[in-house]
Amino acid sequence: MTNKHAAVAPRDRLIVALDLPDVRIAEAMITQLDEAVTFYKIGYQLAFAGGLPLARALAGSGKKVFVDLKMHDIGNTVARGVESIVSIGATFLTVHAFPQTMKAAAEASKGSDLTILGVTVLTSYDDADLSAAGYAMNVSDLVARRARQARDIGIGGLVCSAEEASALRDVIAPSMCLVTPGIRPAGSSSDDQKRIMTPRAAIAAGADYLVVGRPVVASPDPRAAAEAIVAQIAQATRQ
Ligand code: C5P
């Protein structure tokens, strides 16, 4: 099976994170970005401030939506939650990459257009955090273990840092996608991201989709910032 995301157009590989305080501000941003952006991510901040009806409206208007709620609960609760996200018309949904959670999510999304993304180990965790949480395993081993489990369960993709992307490419199924945050166009501020990569380098490392927040939504000219990132993605995909 080949990578089914290989043919995705450069513009459709950019996912803009709507990390904004309310729906009115998010709608103004979407209007400003207009046709420059086809894919949006809605996370805790906006989802818990009225963002889920916005997600439904965006999907209804032909945009793609990534609901980043990193679900983790008993299987039945995860499955019912996934069904609700399917009904919104979302394209991506994150769950923590625990086998029980992934199985429930994969089962509940079967036959729909929703792709489940596994979050292997949060990038804010280091080996000491895992040890404190009771794991006798380092971060890279746990990432690889959970990636293999995601592949075997039939999860559609993984969220990972650009640095992890090339190693994970070798582990996961070719049909799975890699979605990568921590992207910074050359010369822009790293904000609180510790490990950053340019759009071009992240695509070259094997990422299929790039999640970008502040470099677009906090830019004085969000539309131009988005177009510049799309141009860098296009350069990388031509190589
Ligand atoms: O503003 P910035 O481009 O740093 O936003 C990145 C987005 O990706 C945020 O919505 C953040 O929650 C998300 N994210 C991340 N690192 C991860 C997982 C998700 O930055 N490991």
Side-chain angles (χ1 to χ4, degrees):
M1 209 192 303
T2 54
N3 179 355
K4 66 177 178 183
H5 305 277
V8 174
R11 186 175 305 282
D12 301 330
R13 294 178 185 274
L14 169 63
I15 303 177
V16 170
L18 289 171
D19 295 330
L20 296 166
D22 67 49
V23 169
R24 195 181 46 81
I25 295 171
E27 283 172 342
M29 180 58 61
I30 292 160
T31 302
Q32 212 177 337
L33 290 168
D34 195 25
E35 289 180 2
V37 174
T38 61
F39 212 148
Y40 288 100
K41 180 170 93 73
I42 294 181
Y44 285 177
Q45 183 182 20
L46 194 59
F48 298 145
L52 293 177
L54 174 64
R56 187 186 293 274
L58 271 174
S61 75
K63 300 289 185 191
K64 290 189 165 180
V65 181
F66 171 1
V67 177
D68 188 13
L69 289 180
K70 298 185 179 69
M71 284 186 188
H72 187 203
D73 208 310
I74 60 169
N76 181 62
T77 302
V78 169
R80 299 292 86 79
V82 168
E83 285 167 8
S84 293
I85 300 300
V86 166
S87 80
I88 280 175
T91 297
F92 287 162
L93 168 71
T94 41
V95 305
H96 283 282
F98 287 76
Q100 215 182 73
T101 294
M102 291 194 289
K103 275 182 201 147
E107 187 59 32
S109 62
K110 211 173 255 171
S112 77
D113 292 332
L114 181 68
T115 292
I116 303 294
L117 304 177
V119 176
T120 54
V121 177
L122 293 169
T123 49
S124 58
Y125 275 47
D126 60 18
D127 293 346
D129 292 308
L130 284 187
S131 170
Y135 292 87
M137 208 181 258
N138 64 30
V139 170
S140 57
D141 288 346
L142 189 55
V143 167
R145 181 189 176 100
R146 289 183 170 168
R148 283 193 297 271
Q149 289 171 329
R151 176 197 64 200
D152 295 345
I153 288 167
I155 287 292
L158 298 173
V159 179
C160 67
S161 73
E163 285 165 9
E164 289 164 349
S166 55
L168 285 176
R169 256 294 150 234
D170 298 333
V171 171
I172 62 168
S175 58
M176 285 173 80
C177 67
L178 293 175
V179 179
T180 300
I183 301 299
R184 289 296 178 269
S188 68
S189 155
S190 58
D191 301 303
D192 58 352
Q193 295 282 10
K194 294 200 177 75
R195 289 172 291 148
I196 57 171
M197 243 190 228
T198 63
R200 202 172 160 168
I203 295 285
D208 295 299
Y209 296 87
L210 308 183
V211 175
V212 185
R214 287 160 291 183
V216 172
V217 301
S219 161
D221 187 344
R223 190 169 176 148
E227 290 290 3
I229 293 168
V230 171
Q232 286 196 41
I233 294 173
Q235 275 178 0
T237 50
R238 272 200 297 271
Q239 282 168 353

